[in-house]
């Protein structure tokens, strides 16, 4: 069984990402790597697997969102070629914070990204992980929630965001 991807393009994010096709393919190849051991994918383990893969491909790990040095929580997960990535395996309540990271990194004095890629799991993935492999993903943010809520943030979030839902 391999991982599959569901995709949602907010503010023409897919078109922007297609202009960086090598980056898009690299992201998708990392997420669907057949060597990923699906039964072992607890949230911390999946984060570790993705961190190792993205950093191994030259992505900057934990780039700052703000120029000030004192705030360790204001970081994206990865950055490369003006594409910021946030992996949203945490609680569903983090949606607003994660989306604002993209907005700030795009429109603040940093001007570091042209688009954000938000990587989450689908509701189906979470249910199957619990039922088949006894991995607890309960309470995690879902692809379905982001697709439902993101258009309501249109006045606050102007940066294009490409949402990828990891599914089984």
């Amino acid at each position: 069984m391999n991982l599959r991807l569901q995709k949602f393009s907010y503010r023409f994010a897919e078109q922007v990402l297609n202009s960086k096709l090598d980056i898009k393919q690299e992201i998708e190849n990392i997420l669907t790597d057949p060597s990923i051991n699906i039964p072992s994918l607890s949230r911390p383990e999946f984060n570790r697997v993705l961190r190792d893969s993205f950093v191994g491909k030259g992505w900057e790990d934990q780039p700052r969102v703000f120029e000030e040095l004192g705030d360790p929580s204001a970081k994206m997960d990865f950055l490369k070629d003006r594409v910021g990535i946030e992996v949203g395996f945490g609680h569903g309540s983090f949606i607003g914070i994660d989306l604002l990271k993209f907005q700030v990194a795009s429109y603040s004095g940093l001007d570091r990204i042209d688009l954000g890629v938000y990587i989450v799991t689908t509701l189906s993935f979470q249910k199957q992980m619990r039922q088949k492999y006894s991995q607890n993903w309960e309470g995690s943010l879902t692809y379905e929630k982001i697709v439902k809520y993101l258009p309501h943030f249109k006045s606050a979030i102007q940066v294009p965001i490409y949402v990828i839902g990891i599914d089984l």
Side-chain angles (χ1 to χ4, degrees):
M1 178 182 297
N2 287 333
L3 297 174
R4 297 180 297 118
L5 305 179
Q6 293 188 31
K7 303 161 194 169
F8 175 74
S9 179
Y10 173 76
R11 292 196 181 267
F12 304 102
E14 185 166 23
Q15 289 86 334
V16 175
L17 193 53
N18 283 341
S19 72
K20 303 169 185 278
L21 199 53
D22 55 331
I23 292 289
K24 180 181 182 186
Q25 290 171 336
E26 184 171 83
I27 293 167
E28 292 179 359
N29 289 342
I30 287 171
L31 297 177
T32 58
D33 184 343
S35 72
I36 294 175
N37 181 9
I38 294 171
S40 75
L41 293 181
S42 63
R43 287 187 265 190
E45 175 62 11
F46 206 174
N47 270 311
R48 185 197 64 75
V49 166
L50 293 181
R51 175 153 280 111
D52 290 350
S53 296
F54 279 104
V55 171
K57 297 281 187 185
W59 288 76
E60 182 181 345
D61 189 25
Q62 300 287 302
R64 289 193 328 258
V65 173
F66 300 110
E67 292 181 355
E68 294 82 28
L69 294 174
D71 189 358
S73 63
K75 296 179 180 178
M76 284 183 290
D77 286 314
F78 310 107
L79 176 68
K80 184 176 184 179
D81 195 22
R82 298 189 54 83
V83 175
I85 294 180
E86 188 67 26
V87 178
F89 293 165
H91 192 270
S93 63
F94 288 109
I95 185 173
I97 293 166
D98 290 344
L99 294 173
L100 284 174
K101 287 179 189 179
F102 291 135
Q103 183 66 23
V104 169
S106 176
Y107 284 89
S108 72
L110 288 180
D111 186 31
R112 297 192 75 186
I113 66 170
D114 297 323
L115 79 144
V117 176
Y118 203 2
I119 299 170
V120 293
T121 56
T122 64
L123 189 56
S124 172
F125 173 92
Q126 293 177 17
K127 284 181 182 177
Q128 289 185 63
M129 290 303 290
R130 184 173 50 252
Q131 292 169 350
K132 292 181 180 178
Y133 308 114
S134 300
Q135 295 289 355
N136 183 10
W137 284 77
E138 191 171 340
S140 295
L141 186 58
T142 65
Y143 172 81
E144 293 81 2
K145 182 175 183 176
I146 295 170
V147 168
K148 179 179 178 182
Y149 285 98
L150 188 54
H152 296 288
F153 291 114
K154 66 182 173 190
S155 64
I157 308 295
Q158 284 100 33
V159 61
I161 298 175
Y162 192 61
V163 183
I164 300 176
I166 299 171
D167 202 355
L168 288 172

